[in-house]
Amino acid sequence: MNSVRYKIRECRDQEKIECFLHQARIGYLGLVDGSLPYVVPLNYVWAEEKLYFHGAGDGRRNHVMSENPEVCFTVCEEYGTITDPVPAKTDTAYMSVMVFGQAEPITDLDEATHVLQEMINKYVPDYYNRPLSKQHVDKYRSAVFGGPVQVYRVIPHHMTAKESPIEAEKMYRTVMNGGREI
């Protein structure tokens, strides 16, 4: 893993990074479209040290990745504001991970089915009463886009992680009328 410039914020705890990537719900896929940046928010799963996402089999995102598969996928969660008597030391509690690699379309039906099942397990656990079938994945067509779903994998070339931990006693709390905390 490459290091970050602001060493005091660097997180090198692999277990913490893995846990964060498993539980966070939204990531931002950064691409280069010619000479322009293009960033797309996505649901994703982190499994076996790889990042996976899916979507329509056509469209700008897929076209850009076919031209330049190098991607940066950023996951960040903000936990609140950390107060300090010195205004310049007011800060934000957060965790962020940046995954750099190449996006590859998954063509293997078993792997695609496994990944989509992992997405179901993450985003709607215990909702469906049976596992996703390969036949369903093979025949699925998006009602919105009229084409097949495409699953992608990113095998990280490198990753960076930063954090500013929650300091419970310093976290900013808004108080409404009646002294009720929101």
Side-chain angles (χ1 to χ4, degrees):
M1 178 166 46
N2 287 2
S3 62
V4 298
R5 180 189 54 81
Y6 194 32
K7 296 291 185 199
I8 197 167
R9 295 294 166 86
E10 184 173 31
C11 176
R12 291 189 154 280
D13 181 338
Q14 276 306 124
E15 189 174 317
K16 187 173 196 173
I17 293 167
E18 292 274 331
C19 182
F20 176 75
L21 288 172
H22 281 289
Q23 63 85 27
R25 298 181 58 83
I26 302 292
Y28 299 88
L29 178 67
L31 309 167
V32 178
D33 186 1
S35 62
L36 298 173
Y38 182 57
V39 178
V40 183
L42 296 170
N43 292 335
Y44 74 96
V45 291
W46 176 259
E48 299 163 17
E49 299 183 5
K50 297 177 193 83
L51 181 90
Y52 296 92
F53 58 90
H54 80 293
D58 198 9
R60 182 177 179 189
R61 180 195 66 202
N62 297 25
H63 173 74
V64 171
M65 286 187 300
S66 71
E67 294 291 318
N68 182 358
E70 291 293 329
V71 302
C72 173
F73 195 88
T74 301
V75 180
C76 183
E77 291 202 0
E78 183 260 341
Y79 304 125
T81 303
I82 303 169
T83 62
D84 193 278
V86 178
K89 292 184 178 182
T90 298
D91 206 346
T92 301
Y94 69 92
M95 174 95 183
S96 68
V97 176
M98 296 176 76
V99 177
F100 299 88
Q102 287 192 342
E104 309 168 335
I106 294 174
T107 57
D108 179 72
L109 183 58
D110 288 325
E111 185 177 6
T113 302
H114 174 73
V115 168
L116 292 172
Q117 181 65 56
E118 289 298 315
M119 292 196 98
I120 288 169
N121 295 345
K122 179 178 181 178
Y123 291 98
V124 288
D126 302 320
Y127 182 77
Y128 296 101
N129 60 1
R130 63 179 174 259
L132 190 60
S133 72
K134 288 193 296 188
Q135 292 78 18
H136 180 82
V137 173
D138 195 33
K139 293 180 181 177
Y140 176 74
R141 297 292 183 256
S142 170
V144 177
F145 299 107
V149 68
Q150 179 63 63
V151 179
Y152 284 88
R153 115 177 42 82
V154 177
I155 300 172
H157 296 304
H158 68 276
M159 297 169 43
T160 60
K162 290 173 58 176
E163 68 176 328
S164 177
I166 294 171
E167 297 180 42
E169 70 284 352
K170 292 184 173 183
M171 298 307 289
Y172 178 73
R173 308 268 190 259
T174 301
V175 178
M176 294 179 59
N177 288 339
R180 192 179 67 179
E181 197 174 291
I182 61 167

